Every structure is written in structure tokens, then in C-alpha cells.
């Protein structure tokens, strides 16, 4: 059976101009069941009722040439699940519809080819999201929408088991989106971004494996941005032992010797912590000031800095704990100015907030008529107020 | 439970030299009815199996269930057994014959024997001789049936009487691993699908061996499922390292060491123990647990036969790395051994650099600078580059500070003080590149040269050392108890002091310091295991639906 796009059953223009949405929704429900049977009979898609080994599964290819499949467009209008970015003058505009993410769940039918977009459409959809949505609306307003739609883009590639250049390009752009999101969003949304970032990097790592194997002519495929994203992979696993476990010899030489990867490894090494009470993680550097100096250096680009900001609180906490334990207890010279410089706090007030959050105190002192604030050591024990709530 | 073997064939093959046509699973032709009499070789084979079971002879049982391809195509009685399996036609006929001969006492064993004969049927000398071009397809069929056999084996092994199969499990895992690796090489498969397909069935075998019985392993002659555990683990480690999916390895190793197994000869063979300790040491080295890695690799090195030079070298390299990072430097006599003639050139300069706190010598030893740039590639190929770079740095600082202390403090001083500014001055001098190491253009040097006159930190290309950075580094040393003392800031822009402890050695032995961090035996129950896996004992739990 030839590939066809979803407009073969119903014309896209006809759907949104003639008849009511309810009528079209019912028509789609009926036609989809027929279409599924036809496609199974023609051998285009697998019959879910027949078990077979995974190796014998038919390759699935999407045929949709719109940003959102017609059925979903009708369904969402019918169910009144249209996002504001998909409306014009308060009314649903099918030309702005973008397919949303559908969590695969037991009992739901497998998608049809007309529900899955072709790779080149996915690239166009992503560019639309970046230019027309992110480029026009405040980030905080549209970030959730774009995150959901980019997740759907990745899902469509997964359905088709597609590993081509379009998948690499889209995954790379999506990763950059998540990285910037880490910086622009409030901290309580960080987890969701990190989760999607991790999944996207895992996908990209799999796609990059094509560079490790020669093709039929003995040539190795090269990805122009691989060094950049390998550095993100290193920094996303800063506390996972990634550098020690990874086999760098499998990476292309120009990638593992690139400045981006080497700079990421330096930051990774500076951020390693000594795990108290653990028999692992020996000889960790844990050079807090070096970490921040490397982050502030001109070799750290914006997206890398967005990622590294996630670790600031944890590294500062460990450093404050070390300062509280290892500077002379009776001294009044452990000034906040020094700690601010050591740990690269932008404002002294931020530092004071954190010090008090960890149960420590600040004091005032004057030497030669110059007054300054210092960290009081040997008084209260280092602890976060959150932990203190649970201590008996 | 793995799925029951499929009736009918799985893949078609081009062989047509049998009197009966074969069917595949999708053929619409009806299965041929088996004859009532069992073929003679199959009859003798099943009788031998019954004898091995009744007399509890695991080695005899293994001899009847070999996976070694060379034996399958050339050693009696396998060629004849294979011929009869082919003549039976299809799997259904084989099943009927086996059920007829073996009875109903142990159904899963019957399924296993059926799967074995079905696997044997696919063994063809052409896979070795490669005279016909179909050898790749034949090899793929052979391997896929081997995996099916493994799954059926697991069902039989899981039986309460399955301990008699533990010796077979050991060698089955070994030959299956070798076959998977060979298949991947033959097909040139970058994703190593054959190795991946083998992991889950072997993992199931491992779990069965781990949780199979409660009898402790107290005598080398015991027939227990857990006697196969270490060998199965070694096969899995090999596959995981090959696939570079090492997250499960610590979990499996923890299960083996926590299983109260006597990890010594004669309970386990020396090659088995050597391999296990080697993989254990590698895994611990990658977790930067250098003391434990040193102990495990030392055990592996001690057990390894002196005649196996390449194996000893393979163990010695990470052993030296873990020892150095634990503060144990090798004696020069070690490098006179046959397995380590060229290792002196690599490891001794490293030791001297760390001992002296000489950052420049360290860069030379790692091949980052200096005439011996080939060392950089060598460390990279042996996967020690980043571990040494990242974990030896703090030891270099420690040694440097100790030298400064020895030079600037006398024992008569009331307070042993080292000034941060002194440390900074020495470190800056040692971080400068020598003129002949500064290339004419930054791009020509793969390791990066920024400002030739700059004093920089750790190959960062222009990132300068300053007082506050050095203070942060010293703080880390004091916090990790690698230097005993405390820090004291001064007023008026003066240098911060590092005040060293007056009692005892302010620079305690690194090895003793790290050793003191080792957990107390038996206190690891609360430690979370990576990979999320613990085998759960299901004895006494009701099945769903009961």
C-alpha cells in the first residue's frame, strides 16, 4: 500500500469549514477503525492481536504532513482542549495546532501512520515553536506549552524508530531549550526540565553511536555539534561517576580532544565531592572556588552555564559546611566578603540568607574603624532549617 | 518464567538434505506425526541423562549438554544426535519423543531437552568451514536457538532439583558468551545485538543461582545452585563491559560478596576467583574506592598464574593506579617482572611527581607536556587518564604543602604555620609551562596553549591561580583530613594561615587516612545498592490467583 497523508480520507480544509466538529469527530472515529483494518490487511502496520518477535515487526512510518494530525485537531476542539497559542482571536486555528504529547497507556490504541508526523514536518514544527512561540511570547508563559510539544516531537521520532539527521537536529535543539529553561524558570520547575533533559541526552547519546561505526565505504559519520552535547552529558552526570565509567575511546578523537569536552571534564573534576562516611569518592578535588572560576571563564558558554547553575546550591552548601568546620572557631576574620568572593555570590544578602538557612550566624565587628560582617564559627552547628524540623 | 518453547520451527534454512521437509512457525502445512519408536541415539542420550540425574552426576549431565560448536559437529555422539533430531522433522516431534522417554516428573527439564535438541539441530559444520555462503544465516539461527535453549534451561534450573544443573550452567554461560561475542564480530554489528540478547537470560540464571536455596556453601563437593554464581557473574561482567552498560555490575558484585560465599579455593577454581576479583577491582576503581580496588586487584594478581603474562599485566595496570592513589607506591623491583617491563617508564615518574608535589613533572608523566606525548594516549587507552588527572591532583597539592612546611617551619616553633601566599608562589612556578612546551600557535597543540606567559591551573588555558583559589584548595585538603589542622584568616589583606596540628603528624599517611574511611564489615546493609535490584525470595508467597 502506498504511503499517503492523512488528507486522503478527508480534506483538511473541508474538515474545518464544512459541517460541525461533532459530526467530523464521529466520522473520524468510524473511519479510523476502518482505516486500521485496511492497513493491517495491506501489511502496512502490525496486527496487535498477533504475537511476533520484535525483529519481525514492520517498520512504522508516519504520513502526517501537518503540525497536528487532523484527528487530534478535531478531537481537541471537540473536547475543548485547545491551548491559547493555538487560537486566533479567541477561536481555535487549526493552522496553529501542534500535536501534543500522549502518554502511552495500556488499553489505548496504537497510533496510525496518519497520527505520526514525517521527519521533515517535525523539523518544521520545531522551528515554528522556536520562532513563532518562544520568539514572541514571554518564556514563563509559553514554556509549558513548548515543553509538551517538543516532547511530542521526540515521541514521533521514537514511534518511527528514526535515527536520521532530522532526529539529531531536533533533539539537539530541544536539549538547548531545556537548558535555557533551567535558568529561566523558577527552581520548583527544575525537576521536570532535568527529567526531560536527561531523556533527550540519552536519546542523543544513542543517535551519536552512528559516529562510532564505519559505513559500507569505511567512512565515519560526523556530527558537527557532538562535542557540545557530549560536554552536556558529562555535566548532567556530575555526581554520577560518568567520567570514570565512560569509555572515551569510543568517541571520535576530535570530540574527546575538543575544548568543550576538556573544559567540561575540568569542571566535572573540580565539582567532585568527598562523600563523608563513604568508602568511595576518594581524593575528590571539591575545589569550590575553582568550580565557580571555571564557570565564570569565557570558555563556558551560556547554555553550559544554565546547566551548571543547577549545582550552585549544592556546591555552596558543601563549601559553607567545610568553612564552618575548618576555620578557627574563635576567629572573627572569616568575613562574608571573603566567602562571597570564594563562592561567587552575586549579592551579600543571598549569602546571609543561606548562612541563616543552614543554622549559622553572622556577626558584626569593627577593626580600625572599619566595620564588617563575619561568619560566626563554633556557635551553632551547621544544619539546614528543613533538616532541623525533623531532628528530635 | 520464560515462555514455553514455540511449537514448530522458528526460521527457515536453506538445508534440504533431509528426507523430511521442515516446517516453520508460519507454515500452513500440518506437522508430521512422529513415529512411535524413539530413534536409537536419542534413546541412548535420554537414558544417559536419566542415569546422570538418578546417580546425581552433574559432570556427566554437562557432558551430555555441551554447547561447544566444535564438539557438536565432530565429537560422538553429537553428529548422530543432530542427524536424528533433523530426521524427526520439527520441534513438535522432538517434544513428543522426549516426553515419551523422560516422563512427567520434571516437565521443565523435558522442555529444556527439547530446546537443546532443537538448538543442536541448527549446528552445522558450515559455520566453521564457511564453504557455503549461507554461514552467516546459519550462525544467526544457531545463536537464536541457543538463546531459546538458555531460557528453557532457566525453567529447569529453577526447579527444586535444579542444583544438579549448576555445573552445566557454569559452562553453558561461558560458551554462550563466547558465541555471542563471535556472532557480533562475524556480523560486524555495532550495536552488539547478540551480546544484548544474551544478557537477560543469563541474568535470570544468575538470579536463580543466587536465590535458589538456603543451604550454605560449606564444602567444595556440594552440589548447589550458588556454586555457579561467581562464574555466571563473571560472564555477565564480561558482557556488560563489552556493551559499556556497567550500572548493574556493582549490584551483582555486592550480591555475590554479601551472599556469604567462601570466595576462596577450593570452593571456586582459581581462574574463576581471579576473574571475579579483577572485575570487582575495576568496578571499585571506577567508583574511586581505591583502597577496596587495591585489595581486590591485589587478590586477583596473587591468584593469577605466573605463566599467564598477559593476564597478569592486565591486572597489574589498574592495580598500580589504585595503589598509587591510595598512597602505596610500588617498589622498583616490581617492574623487573616479565609482565611489567615497560610499566616503569609510565608509573615511576608518576609516583615521583606525586611524592614531590611537582605539577610540571606530573604533566610530563601524563604526557600532557614534555617529549613523551605518547603517554597521554597510553593512559587514555587504558582508561586511567581522567581518573589519575582528577584524583591525583589533590595529592600533588598535599605533597607540595608538606614540602613547604618542611622548608619553612622548624620543630621548635610554637605554631606550625604555612602561609597561603607561600603555597601560591610555589604553585604558580610549577604551573608555568617550560618555554619549549609553548607552541607557536594554539591550534597546533591538542592540549591547548593560551597565553604563553600565563600561569594557569590544570590545563585550563589562561585560568590563573590566585590566592583565593589556593585557599579553596587548601580548605578541601583540610576538610578531607588529608592535612590535619585548621585555617585562620588575617586582617589587613595578609595571607591566610594554615595552622597545622601540634599533636601527631599533620600529614598523616594517606593509606591510613583512607583506610579509616572503610566501612565496618556488616554495616553495609543500609547502603543503597545501585541498579535498584535485590533478588526477592518468593518462598512461601502465594501465587497470584490463589
Amino acid at each position: 500500500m502506498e504511503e499517503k497523508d492523512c488528507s486522503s480520507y478527508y480534506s483538511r480544509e473541508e474538515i474545518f469549514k464544512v459541517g460541525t466538529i461533532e459530526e467530523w469527530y464521529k466520522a473520524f472515529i468510524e473511519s479510523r477503525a476502518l482505516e486500521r483494518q485496511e492497513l493491517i490487511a495491506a501489511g502496512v502496520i502490525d496486527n496487535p492481536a498477533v504475537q511476533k518477535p520484535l525483529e519481525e515487526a514492520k517498520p512504522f512510518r508516519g504520513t502526517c504532513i501537518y503540525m497536528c494530525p487532523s484527528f487530534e485537531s478535531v478531537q481537541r476542539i471537540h473536547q475543548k482542549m485547545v491551548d491559547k497559542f493555538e487560537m486566533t482571536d479567541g477561536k481555535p486555528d487549526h493552522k496553529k495546532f501542534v500535536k501534543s504529547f500522549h502518554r502511552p497507556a495500556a488499553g489505548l490504541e496504537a497510533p496510525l501512520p496518519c497520527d505520526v508526523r514525517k521527519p521533515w514536518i517535525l523539523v518544521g514544527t520545531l522551528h515554528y515553536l522556536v520562532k513563532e512561540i518562544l520568539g514572541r511570547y514571554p518564556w514563563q508563559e509559553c514554556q509549558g506549552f513548548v515543553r509538551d510539544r517538543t516532547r511530542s516531537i521526540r515521541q514521533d521520532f521514537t514511534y518511527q524508530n528514526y535515527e536520521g539527521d532530522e532526529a539529531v537536529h531536533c533533539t539537539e535543539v530541544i536539549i538547548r531549550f531545556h537548558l535555557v529553561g533551567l535558568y529561566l524558570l523558577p527552581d520548583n520547575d527544575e525537576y521536570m526540565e532535568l527529567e526531560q533533559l536527561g531523556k533527550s541526552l540519552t536519546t542523543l547519546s544513542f543517535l551519536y553511536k552512528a559516529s562510532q561505526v564505519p559505513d559500507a565505504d569505511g567512512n565515519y559519520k560526523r556530527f558537527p555539534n557532538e562535542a557540545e552535547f557530549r560536554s552536556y552529558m558529562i555535566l548532567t552526570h556530575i555526581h554520577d561517576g560518568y567520567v570514570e565509567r565512560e569509555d572515551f575511546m569510543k568517541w571520535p578523537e576530535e570530540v574527546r580532544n575538543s575544548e568543550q569536552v576538556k573544559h567540561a571534564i575540568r569542571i566535572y573534576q573540580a565539582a567532585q565531592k568527598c562523600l563523608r562516611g563513604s568508602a568511595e569518592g576518594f581524593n575528590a578535588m571539591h575545589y569550590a572556588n575553582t568550580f565557580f572560576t571555571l564557570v565564570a571563564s569565557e570558555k563556558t558558554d551560556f547554555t553550559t552555564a544554565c546547566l551548571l547553575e543547577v549545582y550552585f546550591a549544592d556546591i555552596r552548601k558543601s563549601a559553607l559546611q567545610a568553612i564552618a568546620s575548618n576555620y578557627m572557631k574563635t576567629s572573627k576574620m572569616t568575613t562574608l566578603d571573603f566567602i562571597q568572593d570564594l563562592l561567587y555570590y552575586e549579592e551579600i544578602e543571598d549569602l546571609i540568607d543561606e548562612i541563616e538557612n543552614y543554622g549559622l550566624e553572622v556577626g558584626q565587628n569593627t577593626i580600625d574603624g572599619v566595620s564588617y560582617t563575619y561568619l560566626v564559627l563554633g556557635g551553632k552547628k551547621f544544619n539546614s532549617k528543613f533538616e532541623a524540623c525533623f531532628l528530635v | 518464567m520464560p515462555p514455553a518453547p514455540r511449537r514448530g520451527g522458528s526460521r527457515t534454512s536453506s538445508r534440504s538434505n533431509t528426507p523430511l521437509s521442515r516446517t516453520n512457525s508460519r507454515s500452513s502445512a500440518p506437522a508430521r506425526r512422529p513415529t512411535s519408536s524413539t530413534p536409537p541415539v536419542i534413546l541412548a542420550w535420554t537414558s544417559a541423562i536419566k542415569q546422570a540425574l538418578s546417580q546425581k552426576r552433574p559432570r556427566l549431565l554437562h557432558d551430555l549438554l555441551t554447547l561447544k560448536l566444535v564438539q557438536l559437529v565432530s565429537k560422538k555422539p553429537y553428529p548422530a544426535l543432530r542427524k536424528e533430531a533433523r530426521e524427526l522433522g520439527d520441534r513438535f516431534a522432538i517434544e513428543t519423543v522426549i516426553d515419551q522417554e523422560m516422563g512427567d516428573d520434571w516437565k521443565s527439564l523435558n522442555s529444556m531437552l527439547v530446546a537443546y535438541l532443537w538448538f543442536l539441530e541448527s549446528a552445522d559444520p558450515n559455520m566453521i568451514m564457511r564453504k557455503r555462503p549461507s554461514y552467516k544465516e546459519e550462525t544467526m539461527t544457531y545463536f537464536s536457538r541457543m538463546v531459546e535453549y538458555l531460557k528453557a534451561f532457566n525453567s529447569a534450573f529453577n526447579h527444586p532439583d535444579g542444583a544438579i544443573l549448576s555445573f552445566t550452567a557454569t559452562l553453558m554461560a561461558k560458551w554462550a558468551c563466547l558465541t555471542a561475542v563471535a556472532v557480533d564480530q562475524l556480523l560486524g554489528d555495532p550495536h552488539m545485538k547478540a551480546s544484548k540478547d544474551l544478557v537477560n537470560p543469563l541474568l535470570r540464571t544468575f538470579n536463580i543461582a543466587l536465590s535458589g536455596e538456603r543451604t550454605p556453601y560449606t564444602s567444595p563437593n556440594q552440589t548447589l545452585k550458588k556454586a555457579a554464581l561467581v562464574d555466571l557473574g563473571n560472564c555477565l561482567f564480561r558482557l556488560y563491559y563489552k556493551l559499556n552498560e556497567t550500572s548493574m555490575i556493582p549490584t551483582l558484585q555486592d550480591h555475590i560478596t554479601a551472599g556469604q560465599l567462601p570466595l576462596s579455593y577450593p570452593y571456586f577454581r582459581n581462574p574463576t576467583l581471579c576473574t571475579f576479583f579483577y572485575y570487582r577491582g575495576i568496578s571499585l576503581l571506577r567508583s574511586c574506592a581505591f583502597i577496596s580496588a587495591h585489595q581486590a586487584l591485589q587478590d586477583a594478581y596473587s591468584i593469577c598464574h605466573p605463566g599467564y603474562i598477559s593476564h597478569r599485566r592486565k591486572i597489574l595496570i589498574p592495580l598500580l593506579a589504585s595503589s598509587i592513589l591510595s598512597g602505596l607506591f610500588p617498589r622498583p623491583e616490581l617492574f623487573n617482572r616479565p609482565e611489567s617491563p615497560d610499566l616503569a617508564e609510565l608509573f615511576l615518574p608518576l609516583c615521583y611527581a606525586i611524592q614531590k608535589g611537582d605539577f610540571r613533572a606530573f604533566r610530563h608523566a601524563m604526557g600532557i607536556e614534555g617529549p613523551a606525548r605518547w603517554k597521554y594516549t597510553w593512559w587514555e587507552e587504558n582508561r586511567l587518564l581522567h581518573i589519575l588527572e582528577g584524583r591525583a591532583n589533590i595529592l600533588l597539592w598535599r605533597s607540595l604543602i608538606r614540602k613547604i612546611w618542611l622548608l619553612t617551619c622548624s620543630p621548635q616553633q610554637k605554631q606550625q604555620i604555612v602561609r597561603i601566599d607561600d603555597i601560591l608562589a610555589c604553585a604558580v612556578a610549577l604551573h608555568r609551562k617550560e618555554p619549549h612546551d609553548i607552541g607557536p600557535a594554539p591550534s597546533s597543540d591538542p592540549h591547548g596553549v593560551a597565553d604563553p606567559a600565563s600561569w594557569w591551573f590544570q590545563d585550563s588555558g589562561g585560568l590563573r591561580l590566585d590566592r583565593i583559589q589556593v585557599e579553596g584548595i587548601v580548605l578541601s585538603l583540610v576538610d578531607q583530613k588529608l592535612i590535619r589542622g585548621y585555617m585562620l584568616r588575617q586582617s589587613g589583606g595578609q595571607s591566610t594561615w594554615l595552622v597545622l596540628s601540634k599533636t601527631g603528624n599533620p600529614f598523616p599517611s594517606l593509606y591510613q587516612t583512607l583506610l579509616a574511611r572503610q566501612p565496618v564489615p556488616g554495616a553495609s546493609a543500609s547502603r543503597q545498592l545501585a541498579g535498584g535490584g535485590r533478588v526477592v525470595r518468593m518462598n512461601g508467597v502465594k501465587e497470584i490467583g490463589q
Side-chain angles (χ1 to χ4, degrees), chain A residues 50-216:
Chain A
V50 174
Q51 286 188 354
K52 58 166 56 172
L54 187 61
E55 302 83 43
E56 294 170 20
K58 291 186 176 48
F60 185 93
R61 289 289 171 258
T63 59
C64 178
I65 58 170
Y66 300 102
M67 290 199 298
C68 184
S70 296
F71 172 63
E72 180 178 320
S73 303
V74 167
Q75 184 183 45
R76 286 207 277 126
I77 296 174
H78 173 70
Q79 294 172 347
K80 297 184 176 30
M81 292 171 60
V82 179
D83 201 284
K84 67 176 181 182
F85 300 106
E86 295 169 325
M87 292 191 185
T88 301
D89 298 329
K91 291 182 183 170
D93 184 350
H94 70 94
K95 291 176 188 161
K96 291 187 177 179
F97 272 46
V98 181
K99 183 181 174 186
S100 63
F101 173 74
H102 300 278
R103 191 177 301 277
L108 288 180
E109 283 184 328
L112 293 170
C114 61
D115 296 331
V116 177
R117 295 160 288 182
K118 293 186 171 186
W120 60 273
I121 287 292
L122 292 168
V123 174
T125 305
L126 183 63
H127 290 180
Y128 167 81
L129 289 171
V130 170
K131 289 180 186 167
E132 301 300 327
I133 306 295
L134 285 175
R136 289 193 181 184
Y137 297 94
W139 191 283
Q140 283 79 358
E141 206 177 303
C142 63
Q143 204 274 343
F145 172 78
V146 175
R147 182 172 57 212
D148 180 82
R149 298 315 191 254
T150 51
R151 205 173 168 190
S152 172
I153 290 173
R154 288 195 290 116
Q155 188 178 44
D156 276 6
F157 279 120
T158 305
Y159 278 139
Q160 301 174 85
N161 209 18
Y162 189 76
E163 297 179 18
D165 290 342
E166 294 92 334
V168 174
H169 169 70
C170 285
T171 310
E172 289 178 349
V173 172
I174 291 170
I175 287 171
R176 290 193 189 114
F177 161 73
H178 287 307
L179 288 172
V180 176
L182 283 174
Y183 173 63
L184 292 177
L185 288 178
D187 290 343
N188 51 351
D189 285 347
E190 198 175 84
Y191 175 74
M192 292 176 69
E193 290 305 317
L194 284 170
E195 186 188 10
Q196 293 308 313
L197 174 66
K199 288 179 180 177
S200 304
L201 284 169
T202 303
T203 301
L204 195 61
S205 168
F206 181 80
L207 294 172
Y208 280 158
K209 278 192 178 177
S211 70
Q212 297 171 4
V213 182
D215 59 18

Side-chain angles (χ1 to χ4, degrees), chain B residues 37-47 80-81 84 87:
Chain B
S37 65
T38 305
V41 181
I42 292 179
L43 179 64
W45 180 68
T46 51
S47 300
L81 195 63
E84 286 186 0
E87 285 171 358

Side-chain angles (χ1 to χ4, degrees), chain A residues 263 266 290 293-294 296-297 344, chain B residues 450 454-465 469:
Chain A
H263 188 63
R266 286 176 214 125
T290 306
T293 308
L294 287 167
S297 78
Y344 277 70
Chain B
S454 73
W455 28 280
W456 48 276
F457 176 76
Q458 205 195 338
D459 192 25
S460 56
L463 187 65
R464 298 189 171 207
L465 274 177
Q469 231 188 91

Side-chain angles (χ1 to χ4, degrees), chain B residues 416-474:
Chain B
Q416 302 288 303
I417 293 169
V418 179
R419 296 173 64 249
I420 295 294
D421 282 354
D422 292 340
I423 302 171
L424 174 64
C426 295
V428 162
L430 289 168
H431 278 80
R432 273 189 215 275
K433 286 189 174 183
E434 292 185 37
H436 58 261
D437 281 321
I438 299 171
S443 60
S444 66
D445 184 350
H447 302 299
V449 176
D451 174 7
S454 73
W455 28 280
W456 48 276
F457 176 76
Q458 205 195 338
D459 192 25
S460 56
L463 187 65
R464 298 189 171 207
L465 274 177
D466 54 21
R467 184 200 266 183
I468 202 167
Q469 231 188 91
V470 173
E471 191 166 341
I473 292 167
V474 174

Side-chain angles (χ1 to χ4, degrees), chain B residues 126-176:
Chain B
N126 189 45
M127 290 193 289
I128 302 172
M129 309 299 289
R130 299 187 182 180
K131 286 184 179 170
R132 296 191 305 271
S134 57
Y135 68 90
K136 282 193 179 177
E137 289 76 19
E138 290 163 0
T139 306
M140 286 170 63
T141 304
Y142 173 82
F143 182 74
S144 69
R145 291 194 189 180
M146 180 188 284
V147 172
E148 291 299 321
Y149 164 63
L150 259 64
K151 293 175 182 174
F153 177 90
N154 286 337
S155 298
F157 193 39
N158 202 24
H159 191 270
D161 295 332
I164 197 167
L165 292 169
S166 61
F167 187 72
T168 307
T170 303
L171 291 167
M172 172 196 77
K174 175 189 164 187
W175 286 110

Side-chain angles (χ1 to χ4, degrees), chain A residues 19-38:
Chain A
T20 65
I21 285 295
E22 288 71 23
E23 288 167 353
W24 280 112
Y25 184 60
K26 282 183 189 170
F28 261 111
I29 297 288
E30 289 168 7
S31 70
R32 281 171 68 81
L34 287 171
E35 188 181 358
R36 189 179 294 278
Q37 290 171 10
E38 282 177 18

Side-chain angles (χ1 to χ4, degrees), chain A residues 213 245 262 282 284-285 287 327, chain B residues 190 383 391 446 471 476 480:
Chain A
V213 182
R245 280 199 326 265
K262 288 166 77 174
F282 287 167
M285 282 192 197
Y287 302 161
Y327 276 77
Chain B
R383 297 183 63 176
R391 300 288 167 161
E471 191 166 341
S476 178
Q480 294 187 57

